[in-house]
Amino acid sequence: MMEREIFRKILGRLRKDELRPVLQEWGHLGKRLHEIDFSHSKHSVHSYVVKGFMKNYPNGHPDAVGKLDLLCLQKHSAKRTWAVYHLKKEQDSPPNDVADPKEFEQRLRRELGVDFKKMELCVLQHEKALWVRICISKGSKTKPMLKNATYCVHFPHTPVLIVTNMKAATAESIKQAFVNVLGYCDIQDIRLTGRCVKSLAQLSLNKYSQGSFSQYRLNQVDLQPLSHGKKRKRTESEESITDPRIVFVNQKEKKQRLEILNDTFGPNPQPTLEKIEYKLETKFHGNHYAPGMRNQTGPFHCRVKFEGTSVIEGIKNLGKTELAVVPLPDHLAKVHSLAKNHFVLQDKSKANKSVQDSQT
Amino acid sequence: MAECTPLSQITNTTSSTGRGGRSWTQRQHTPYTRTPRSRRLTGQGKTVPLARTPQAPRTLSRIKELVNKTWRLYKVTPLYKFDVGSLRKYSRLLSAHLDAEYRKGIAVGVESEVADSARFSLFKGLKGASGDSDAIEITVKAKPKSGQGESKVVLSAILCSVQLPDDAFLFPESFTFLPVMMVKGGVGLTKQIVSWLEHQFDCHITHMSFSPYDLSWMVAMWGGCVPETNSKPVEMMYTVPKEVEGLSRITMTIDAKVCKELWDSIRDPTNNRFTEEEEAAFIKSLESHFFYHFKVKLTAMYLNRVVTSIAVVDSSGRIKFYSDDHVHRVLRHITEVAVEQIQQK
C-alpha cells in the first residue's frame, strides 16, 4: 500500500533517538505508542509504527502524512536549502496578520482550493513561527507525491516568508495565495538563501541590529557604566609564551586589527550562511600586471563565490589571520546587515546609477 | 624480475643535457628541480607539413572516447621489456592474475561484478611525434555476478606519451617510455592492475598530483583557448587554509570571452612557447583584480581546481577533457609534467 511506503520513507529520515518525541507530538498513535519497544532495529520499529497507525485509522487519515512530514522537517531543516521572500504592502493598508495556525490553515485552504482541487495542507506552530506544508498533485486523480511538497515558514506579524522546494509550476499560485491571505500586495525574492532557517530569519528580521549592534539587541551592553567602580583590568595575552626574551613587534597592529574587526562584526556569533556570491561587472583592475588591458572599456565579467560552513565568520577570520587586509570593503564586511547573499558589483557611473536606484 | 634495476640503467646512459644547462648529475644532488622558464604551447612546429603530404585519417583516432569522462592520472616510469607484439600474452597474464586475486579473496568484496577478462590493445591517435611509443589501452570486462547479461567494461586504462620533450631520458632499446596513465574504473581493480604492471615490467606507478603552481600554469596556458562551440567560463577554485574557520573555498569564474581578451593582451603571438612571465602576468592580474574588490589575498590560498573550456583538472590528479580538438595539447602538457615529476625522484 502506498501509505505504508510513504510512512516508512518519512520515518527513515529520523534518527533513532528522535523517533519517540516526534511520534508523541504526532499523536496519531495514541496509546499504542507505549506498546512499541524502541530498542529494536529501526526497520522493525517502523513496522510497529505503521501497524499501530493502521489499527487506529483503518481508512487512513488525511492529515497524518503531512503532519509527520512537517515534524521531521523541523528536526532536519538544515538538509534543504531555503530561500527568503519579502512581502510588500501598500502604505496604510490594514494589517491582516494571523498568528493562529488553525486560522492560517483555513485561509490558505480557501485561497489554494480555488486553483487546486487536490492538495495536502498542514500548518504547525514551532518556535514562534508557523510552518506550512503544501503538497499539490498534478492531475485530479493522482495522489500528491512526497517529493513535490513545498515547505514554508512564516513569522507572524512580519513580512518574511522562508520557502524551500518550490516547484516552478505551482510557484506563482502559492506566492499569490500567501500575499492574499496575509493582506499584502506583492512578494519579492530578496536573494537570500541558506540552510539554517534560524540564521535566515535573523538576517532578514534583525537586519538593522547585526554586527556590533547585536550587543544592544542581546542586552549585553551595560546601561549604567558609571554606577560601579572599575574592576582592575587583567591584561589578557593571547600568546601563552611567557619567555621574557621574546618580544612581539606587531602587538599594536594586531590589536588595531582586532578592534576594527570587532567593530564591524560584533562580539557575538555571526548568523550562518553557506554561500555568498558576487557578480562583478566592473572594469578590469589588474592592469599593473597586464598593461595591454588598460585600453579596455567594457566590463570584466566574472563571478566570485565564497563557500563554507559559516561564511561570515570565515570572513572575520580571514581578517584575523591577516589573509585579508583590514578594513574590509563594505560589501564583504557588512553582509550581516544586508539581508542577501547574491550581490552585483558595478562601477559607479551615471548609467548605472538608475539601475542601482531601481534595485534598492 | 629484472637482473638490475632499470632506473640505474637509465641514469648511467643519459647524456648530460638538462634544462637550462644544468647537468643530470647536478640535478641528482639537489632535492628540487628548477621550474621551467617556458613551456611548449602549440605543437612541435619544427617540420611544417607540405601541402601535398596526406594527413593521417582522423577516423582512425579514438580521441572522442576520451572526452567528457573523468580520468585519474598516474605517472609511470619506463617499462622494461615491453613488447608491442606480445599484447595477447599480456592480456592472458593479466586476466589470470585478476582471476587469481579474486580467488584469493583479496579482491574488493562489495563489487557486484567479477572481473572477467583483460585485454591489451593499441590506442590509435594519441601518438604525438615519431619519437613517441604507441599508446596502449587496457580494458577489463566483467560479467555481472548473477551470470546473466553481457559483460561490460569495468575499467579502462590508457598508457600514453604525447610528444616527449627532447631532453627527456635517453634509455636503451629494452625500455618503453609511456609516462602517463589515465584510468577510469574502480579503486580496488586499479590497484590490482597497477601492482601487476609494476611486477611484470619492473616500473613504478604512482598517483599524479598537481601543485597549485602546476595548476596555475595550466589555467594560464589554456585560459585563452576558446572553441567556437561549447565554451565554458574559466574557473579557479581555491581552498582556504584551515586556520580560517568557517570559510572553506573561494571560487573565481571568469567569462570565456573576457578571459580570452586578457590572454591575448598578455601573449606574444610570435613566440611558440608560453613563458613564465606570461603565466605570472595572467595569474597575478586576476588575483589583483580580486584583491581590488575584496582585499583578500588569493596568493595565500591553495589553487585546488582549474576549469577551462578544454579541460578541468584538480590537484588530486583527476582530469576531464571537454573538447576533442584539444586533447593532444592537454596530454602533451601532462606528459611534460609527468616526465618532470619522474625526473625529480
Side-chain angles (χ1 to χ4, degrees), chain B residues 204-265:
Chain B
H204 197 59
I205 301 181
T206 41
H207 281 287
M208 201 149 126
S209 62
F210 298 110
S211 67
Y213 194 54
D214 293 326
L215 290 173
S216 63
W217 264 100
M218 286 187 214
V219 75
M221 287 201 301
W222 305 331
C225 298
V226 180
E228 280 91 39
T229 54
N230 195 26
S231 73
K232 287 189 199 291
V234 172
E235 184 185 298
M236 301 190 292
M237 190 185 88
Y238 291 82
T239 31
V240 176
K242 291 212 170 63
E243 298 92 50
V244 182
E245 290 167 4
L247 191 62
S248 54
R249 46 189 191 283
I250 302 179
T251 317
M252 188 166 167
T253 316
I254 307 147
D255 194 33
K257 209 167 61 118
V258 294
C259 192
K260 183 148 169 60
E261 281 174 13
L262 173 64
W263 197 79
D264 286 333
S265 73

Side-chain angles (χ1 to χ4, degrees), chain A residues 184-248:
Chain A
Y184 290 92
C185 70
D186 198 12
I187 185 168
Q188 193 193 29
D189 181 359
I190 58 170
R191 308 290 283 143
L192 176 62
T193 56
R195 282 187 187 264
C196 175
V197 178
K198 262 194 200 152
S199 299
L200 291 175
Q202 234 194 40
L203 283 168
S204 50
L205 292 173
N206 297 327
K207 187 173 162 181
Y208 300 109
S209 60
Q210 292 288 346
S212 53
F213 298 116
S214 59
Q215 294 176 65
Y216 297 95
R217 177 166 44 92
L218 298 167
N219 283 329
Q220 289 166 348
V221 171
D222 195 0
L223 292 171
Q224 293 171 326
L226 298 173
S227 63
H228 41 251
K230 248 203 231 175
K231 284 195 189 148
R232 212 188 300 172
K233 255 197 204 167
R234 220 181 285 164
T235 48
E236 288 177 26
S237 56
E238 275 187 41
E239 332 281 350
S240 51
I241 304 167
T242 48
D243 192 334
R245 290 171 295 179
I246 297 179
V247 173
F248 297 100

Side-chain angles (χ1 to χ4, degrees), chain B residues 72-172:
Chain B
R72 281 219 78 152
L73 287 170
Y74 291 81
K75 49 185 192 281
V76 183
T77 56
L79 306 164
Y80 181 62
K81 284 206 173 133
F82 181 82
D83 179 23
V84 184
S86 352
L87 290 180
R88 276 216 194 141
K89 184 175 101 179
Y90 300 141
S91 312
R92 252 185 301 123
L93 288 172
L94 182 56
S95 308
H97 174 80
L98 290 174
D99 202 35
E101 292 281 319
Y102 175 69
R103 283 180 206 285
K104 266 194 264 182
I106 294 173
V108 180
V110 198
E111 277 173 21
S112 59
E113 294 117 6
V114 175
D116 199 19
S117 62
R119 206 167 77 90
F120 277 69
S121 55
L122 280 181
F123 194 89
K124 291 205 178 12
L126 268 187
K127 219 162 91 156
S130 51
D132 291 332
S133 324
D134 284 318
I136 306 291
E137 184 189 8
I138 307 173
T139 26
V140 176
K141 289 201 176 135
K143 281 210 180 76
K145 240 184 191 162
S146 54
Q148 294 162 347
E150 294 180 3
S151 60
K152 55 179 174 116
V153 176
V154 185
L155 180 136
S156 171
I158 298 175
L159 290 126
C160 64
S161 116
V162 183
Q163 282 191 7
L164 276 182
D166 292 333
D167 49 0
F169 311 111
L170 296 176
F171 39 82

Side-chain angles (χ1 to χ4, degrees), chain A residues 243-272:
Chain A
D243 192 334
R245 290 171 295 179
I246 297 179
V247 173
F248 297 100
V249 190
N250 62 342
Q251 283 288 62
K252 200 168 153 200
E253 282 98 17
K254 235 185 185 175
K255 209 168 150 201
Q256 263 178 346
R257 206 169 357 113
L258 286 175
E259 229 178 78
I260 296 178
L261 282 173
N262 250 338
D263 271 338
T264 358
F265 289 96
N268 294 306
Q270 308 293 324
T272 41

